[in-house]
């Protein structure tokens, strides 16, 4: 029991360290001051997702909907004629017309804007991470030490010490990308599915969402530093408490909003968390904490279910599976 209590306390310490790293927003200003291109891309994310997308939702809820309710009232007392009210036809017609107009707003504005924002923001996030990587390289900061011996379990010390070149390296890269896409897709399905579990589903979904966003934030940095996928997953699962803490501010910012509002808020905040992850010396932070303990919480197989499903799919693509 004492061992379990000690492990829980150490997990909380790592969680708080991850939460603190995610909240180091001063790094965003440092990056933006160091790179004009990065500042422009970050500003574009704010403009598209904040001013245009969230601004449209705000105008719709505060101006359009009240106007429609005034022109096409739903309450009988607002019709101005008891005769019209008694028939019930006007109320039904107003309700149907209001419903159609609202749906038209969504179909011809919000949903296309939502899709456009997802596509464009994805490219911008990559640019933001790339510019941040260039700033780190220019300033001489060490980008990652996950490839060091301490970051991996004993049985993985010899894996992917360097990527092969030529066609073999290309095929390995393609295999990793396909596997990573499947892994994160199945993990996302897992996150959504847990929300339907009675009583505890919301709590489980919160934790899984935190891990998912934390992985997304650090994946840009790990990709650009050419860290192999097996090392990323091993490091992530070995330090699950830290990454749960890092992802928690991301989830807290969107957890209580509707789907469209949540997307808009996250689309604004996500590049900021990508930059805090890029500037984070997570490996040093974790090593300094764990070093004083002589250990720490054990590895948690976060991606076990997603990995199993991904490998089942890859059975239909033997060449990719062979590279993986």
């Amino acid at each position: 029991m004492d061992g379990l209590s000690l492990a829980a306390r150490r997990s909380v310490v790592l969680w708080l360290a991850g939460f603190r790293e995610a909240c180091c927003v001063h790094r965003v200003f440092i990056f933006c001051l160091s790179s004009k291109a990065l500042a422009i891309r970050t500003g574009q994310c704010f403009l598209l997702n904040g001013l245009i997308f969230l601004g449209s939702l705000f105008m719709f809820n505060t101006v359009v909907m009240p106007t429609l309710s005034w022109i096409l009232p739903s309450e009988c007392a607002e019709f101005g004629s008891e005769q019209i009210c008694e028939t019930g036809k006007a109320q039904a017609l107003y309700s149907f017309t209001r419903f159609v107009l609202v749906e038209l707003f969504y179909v011809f504005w919000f949903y296309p804007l939502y899709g456009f924002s997802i596509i464009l923001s994805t490219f911008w996030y990559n640019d933001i991470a790339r510019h941040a990587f260039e700033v780190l390289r220019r300033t001489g900061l060490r980008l990652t030490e996950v490839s060091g011996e301490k970051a991996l379990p004993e049985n993985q010390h010899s894996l992917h010490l360097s990527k092969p070149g030529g066609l073999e390296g290309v095929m390995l890269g393609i295999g990793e990308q396909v596997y990573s896409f499947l892994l994160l897709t199945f993990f996302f399905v897992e996150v959504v599915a847990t929300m339907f579990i009675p009583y505890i589903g919301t709590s489980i979904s919160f934790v899984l969402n935190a891990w998912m966003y934390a992985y997304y934030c650090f994946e840009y940095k790990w990709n650009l530093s050419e860290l192999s996928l097996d090392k990323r997953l091993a490091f992530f699962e070995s330090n699950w408490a830290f990454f749960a803490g890092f992802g928690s501010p991301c989830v807290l910012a969107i957890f209580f909003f509707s789907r469209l509002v949540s997307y808009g808020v996250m689309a604004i905040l996500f590049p900021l968390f990508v930059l805090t992850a890029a500037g984070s010396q997570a490996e040093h932070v974790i090593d300094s904490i764990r070093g004083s303990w002589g250990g720490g919480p054990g590895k948690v197989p976060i991606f076990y279910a997603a990995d199993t499903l991904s490998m089942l799919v890859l059975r239909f693509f033997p060449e990719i599976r062979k590279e993986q």
Side-chain angles (χ1 to χ4, degrees):
M1 193 54 133
D2 291 339
L4 184 61
S5 176
L6 179 62
R9 289 198 299 270
R10 289 178 172 179
S11 298
V12 170
V13 171
L14 283 171
W15 186 93
L16 289 172
F19 192 96
R20 185 174 60 250
E21 286 292 303
C23 294
C24 291
V25 293
H26 65 278
R27 293 172 184 159
V28 177
F29 297 102
I30 295 173
F31 276 119
C32 289
L33 290 173
S34 303
S35 172
K36 182 179 179 181
L38 191 153
I40 291 173
R41 276 288 182 258
T42 305
Q44 287 173 327
C45 282
F46 274 89
L47 180 64
L48 174 61
N49 299 303
L51 186 61
I52 298 177
F53 188 80
L54 286 180
S56 295
L57 285 171
F58 177 77
M59 290 295 293
F60 179 78
N61 290 323
T62 58
V63 177
V64 176
M65 282 301 294
T67 303
L68 287 176
S69 298
W70 176 66
I71 298 173
L72 303 168
S74 57
E75 296 296 330
C76 203
E78 299 174 357
F79 286 172
S81 173
E82 293 183 5
Q83 213 171 15
I84 296 176
C85 184
E86 287 174 0
T87 62
K89 292 182 180 179
Q91 190 173 4
L93 177 62
Y94 286 180
S95 177
F96 176 76
T97 305
R98 191 171 57 252
F99 171 79
V100 171
L101 290 174
V102 169
E103 290 302 311
L104 287 175
F105 270 104
Y106 276 89
V107 171
F108 290 103
W109 180 247
F110 290 124
Y111 292 144
L113 184 60
Y114 177 73
F116 177 73
S117 174
I118 289 177
I119 295 171
L120 196 56
S121 294
T122 300
F123 289 107
W124 286 350
Y125 296 155
N126 281 308
D127 284 346
I128 288 171
R130 180 170 53 82
H131 291 310
F133 187 85
E134 290 172 357
V135 170
L136 291 173
R137 185 170 54 188
R138 189 169 64 244
T139 55
L141 294 176
R142 303 185 72 174
L143 296 169
T144 180
E145 290 189 355
V146 181
S147 57
E149 295 292 318
K150 294 188 296 181
L152 291 173
E154 289 295 329
N155 61 351
Q156 296 190 32
H157 283 173
S158 61
L159 294 180
H160 300 291
L161 294 179
S162 61
K163 283 191 175 183
L167 181 60
E168 185 181 357
V170 172
M171 291 302 297
L172 178 62
I174 294 173
E176 282 194 352
Q177 290 298 320
V178 173
Y179 173 76
S180 178
F181 173 77
L182 290 173
L183 185 79
L184 294 176
T185 300
F186 284 124
F187 191 76
F188 175 75
V189 173
E190 188 179 341
V191 171
V192 174
T194 54
M195 296 185 67
F196 297 96
I197 300 176
Y199 305 113
I200 61 173
T202 302
S203 300
I204 296 175
S205 179
F206 183 95
V207 177
L208 294 180
N209 263 300
W211 279 327
M212 183 176 68
Y213 282 118
Y215 187 87
Y216 281 147
C217 291
F218 277 89
E219 187 182 33
Y220 290 98
K221 178 181 180 180
W222 293 336
N223 265 331
L224 291 168
S225 57
E226 297 183 348
L227 187 67
S228 61
L229 184 60
D230 60 327
K231 290 185 178 181
R232 299 181 208 174
L233 298 179
F235 181 70
F236 194 92
E237 293 183 332
S238 298
N239 300 287
W240 54 270
F242 176 88
F243 289 107
F246 189 94
S248 292
C250 311
V251 184
L252 283 171
I254 65 170
F255 207 67
F256 304 101
F257 295 114
S258 64
R259 179 177 296 180
L260 285 177
V261 175
S262 294
Y263 167 76
V265 173
M266 177 48 66
I268 294 174
L269 296 179
F270 186 70
L272 307 185
F273 290 119
V274 169
L275 291 176
T276 58
S280 170
Q281 295 295 313
E283 300 78 22
H284 290 297
V285 174
I286 292 170
D287 284 346
S288 64
I289 295 174
R290 283 180 172 268
S292 62
W293 296 337
K299 181 178 178 180
V300 173
I302 298 168
F303 299 104
Y304 176 79
D307 173 69
T308 302
L309 292 172
S310 299
M311 296 309 292
L312 286 174
V313 172
L314 288 177
R315 286 183 179 180
F316 297 100
F317 304 94
E319 291 300 322
I320 295 179
R321 189 165 186 257
K322 180 180 177 182
E323 294 298 333
Q324 182 58 36

